[in-house]
Amino acid sequence: MKAYDGMYIDGAWRPAAGDERIEVVNPADEQVIATVPAGTAQDVDEAVRAARAAFPGWAATAPAERAARITALRDALAARREEIAGTVSAELGAPPAFSRAVHADLPVAVAGSYAELLGSHEFEEKIGNSTVFHEPVGVVGAITPWNYPLHQIVAKAAPAFAAGCTVVLKPAEDTPLVARLFAEAVHEAGFPAGVFNLVTGRGPVAGQALAGHEGVDLVSFTGSTAVGRQIAATAGAAVKRVALELGGKSANVILPGADLAKAVNVGIANVFSNAGQTCSAWTRMLVHTEQYDEAVALAATAAAKYVPGGDRLGPVVSARQRDRVRGYIRRGIEEGARLVAGGPDAPEGRSTGYYIRPTVFADVTPGMTIAQEEIFGPVICVIRYEDEADALRIANGTVYGLAGAVWAADEATATAFARRMDTGQVDINGGRFNPLAPFGGYKDSGIGRELGAHGLTEYLHTKSLQF
Ligand code: NAD
């Protein structure tokens, strides 16, 4: 076990203000692997002061200088690929191959995309007799979750740096170690002191202090809807900008004429990767009544390939999350859904570790709790629909609207359906993830967009001068 010290503030690791510590647990074996300091309001205050002091200088740099630093950051992250993947596997529980391909490589791609974007992004435009300037918002308070721990950090920090903002990060308490690696990479990349600051700590203490700090101009939060609401209320009272990326309950709509086997197999992989801890996962599979039984059988077969502790399915992040997911599985059974794979008990031979049996529910009706609430584990609901109108009603029938998928015989049919979905992103016939496309939600899934040029805009103010 390693005891890490210090917060990264003003370009150096300095001692934490308090003595409290957070234990980091490996969810695969339930062992404490490290401890980090639990930050207090005082640590947050020092970090915000450093970020404020660094802001004018960083905001005044040329885009090419910011691009050079972000490129160096990308390279520093790429050089740490194995260390990052190993760290995420240890603190989150993701299988090694997934940690490398997604947890380590996606942030490198996202950082690189912002370095590139700076080569062409216009921070100035002419509108009639006005010149409009796009200026950095100021100090960003970034509060991130544990499910894609490095990606969530980079999806906030990289566009903030690109815009000319400075950042104070409060990462999730379950996954602080990869956040420390990020701080090391920022340091190595040669950013001026104070442009990036890290305070590890608990949500209700360090997180709340950061969200409510008067020196923070924008709070960017990813996590649960309940905490997001609270942060938006705090930010609202202070008339502060806020970006929220919250939960989801996305629909995978399989229309008649689609390649059913492909749609089901990709759909299962989408939900079960990262042990189901993906906000944009297509956790509701919507199938036409005539293909329903076939789809359920295909889903059960596909689920059997996910063996807890095997190379595709790790544990969930914590005992709390395991209990929460198992609670939902029990609730589904109580409400009358039919279990065709998995269940609430520990997987065979896995009494240690926070493992969940990959679970497929059939005969799920749209009003059931498991069809409405975000479960955040390897659990999928297969829901029957009668016709397209019914499918659309079900797809749009939750408080969320983050992502989704539509499969049809042709793109035009799928596109027409997707355009009527109340959701921020839809993959058509298996269209692949695009790290430049705006990512974010409708309804309770959030406010604002991350990634690409839209993600950069979140961190910019608009000023117009008339001539
Ligand atoms: P959470 O919302 O409590 O935590 C997310 C981040 O917010 C963490 O850094 C946490 O420390 C911080 N936080 C918590 N309370 C805070 C407060 N009062 N003020 C400021 N910051 C605070 O999420 P969780 O408890 O880790 O997970 C619970 C559920 O949230 C999950 O089961 C899942 O449904 C959902 N979730 C969604 C996402 C997503 O990507 N949208 C990510 C993680 C969790």
Side-chain angles (χ1 to χ4, degrees):
M1 200 204 57
K2 187 145 186 203
Y4 291 95
D5 278 325
M7 307 292 184
Y8 184 74
I9 295 175
D10 207 14
W13 292 95
R14 44 163 104 159
D19 296 330
E20 216 213 312
R21 303 195 60 85
I22 293 172
E23 290 188 337
V24 184
V25 175
N26 182 333
D29 61 12
E30 305 182 25
Q31 298 299 308
V32 176
I33 51 172
T35 64
V36 297
T40 61
Q42 192 183 325
D43 297 303
V44 169
D45 187 55
E46 285 173 20
V48 173
R49 280 171 197 278
R52 277 243 76 85
F55 175 64
W58 182 244
T61 52
E65 165 56 16
R66 299 200 294 277
R69 295 282 71 77
I70 297 170
T71 301
L73 172 61
R74 181 203 63 190
D75 294 347
L77 292 172
R80 286 168 172 74
R81 184 179 195 235
E82 282 306 306
E83 202 182 349
I84 287 168
T87 300
V88 176
S89 285
E91 61 184 352
L92 176 67
F98 193 78
S99 282
R100 286 194 192 92
V102 178
H103 291 300
D105 290 353
L106 178 58
V108 171
V110 171
S113 77
Y114 280 106
E116 206 175 308
L117 209 62
L118 280 173
S120 60
H121 195 81
E122 298 290 349
F123 287 90
E124 207 180 304
E125 62 182 311
K126 285 242 180 265
I127 301 178
N129 65 318
S130 303
T131 303
V132 178
F133 295 91
H134 300 282
E135 301 179 339
V137 165
V139 174
V140 173
I143 301 175
T144 54
W146 41 263
N147 60 334
Y148 288 87
L150 184 59
H151 168 66
Q152 309 279 15
I153 291 169
V154 173
K156 298 186 190 314
F161 295 155
C165 292
T166 58
V167 177
V168 177
L169 167 69
K170 205 302 284 173
E173 34 283 69
D174 288 319
T175 54
L177 302 182
V178 76
R180 292 180 63 96
L181 289 180
F182 178 76
E184 284 175 14
V186 168
H187 191 81
E188 187 180 296
F191 281 80
V195 170
F196 176 76
N197 307 274
L198 168 70
V199 177
T200 52
R202 299 190 196 285
V205 181
Q208 206 161 312
L210 182 59
H213 200 292
E214 61 179 19
V216 170
D217 301 292
L218 182 154
V219 182
S220 180
F221 169 81
T222 300
S224 62
T225 300
V227 174
R229 254 184 239 289
Q230 212 176 314
I231 285 173
T234 306
V239 197
K240 190 177 281 195
R241 290 259 290 258
V242 68
L244 304 173
E245 203 268 271
L246 310 175
K249 194 74 191 174
S250 298
N252 179 13
V253 183
I254 307 175
L255 295 175
D259 181 340
L260 185 67
K262 186 174 175 198
V264 171
N265 284 326
V266 174
I268 288 286
N270 175 283
V271 176
F272 289 176
S273 65
N274 212 38
Q277 304 163 118
T278 304
C279 46
S280 55
W282 312 330
T283 48
R284 298 179 299 144
M285 184 182 286
L286 273 52
V287 185
H288 190 268
T289 189
E290 279 172 17
Q291 294 180 302
Y292 189 77
D293 291 341
E294 192 185 347
V296 168
L298 285 166
T301 305
K305 294 184 194 134
Y306 290 80
V307 179
D311 56 8
R312 290 178 175 201
L313 185 63
V316 294
V317 70
S318 61
R320 191 180 77 147
Q321 201 61 19
R322 174 200 60 195
D323 296 344
R324 195 184 130 94
V325 175
R326 287 189 180 161
Y328 274 115
I329 297 174
R330 284 190 205 98
R331 186 80 182 264
I333 296 167
E334 280 160 24
E335 290 186 0
R338 175 165 56 99
L339 207 51
V340 294
D345 302 329
E348 220 170 292
R350 293 275 166 203
S351 51
T352 304
Y354 310 132
Y355 290 97
I356 304 278
R357 297 171 68 192
T359 297
V360 178
F361 274 117
D363 300 345
V364 178
T365 55
M368 286 181 184
T369 307
I370 54 168
Q372 288 292 324
E373 296 184 11
E374 186 173 52
I375 298 174
F376 237 59
V379 181
I380 189 165
C381 298
V382 190
I383 304 176
R384 183 193 298 273
Y385 68 81
E386 301 296 330
D387 54 32
E388 247 188 58
D390 193 28
L392 188 66
R393 218 168 16 245
I394 297 168
N396 287 339
T398 77
V399 296
Y400 294 114
L402 187 56
V406 182
W407 304 78
D410 57 85
E411 283 184 4
T413 307
T415 304
F417 190 96
R419 291 294 306 271
R420 289 181 289 157
M421 290 168 79
D422 302 330
T423 194
Q425 255 202 13
V426 184
D427 297 348
I428 303 294
N429 284 344
R432 66 190 159 79
F433 179 74
N434 175 3
L436 292 175
F439 182 91
Y442 283 33
K443 303 194 284 187
D444 287 7
S445 288
I447 299 171
R449 293 292 177 270
E450 293 197 307
L451 304 180
H454 288 80
L456 180 58
T457 305
E458 290 287 328
Y459 296 94
L460 294 167
H461 269 318
T462 310
K463 178 185 285 173
S464 48
L465 270 53
Q466 285 59 247
F467 295 91

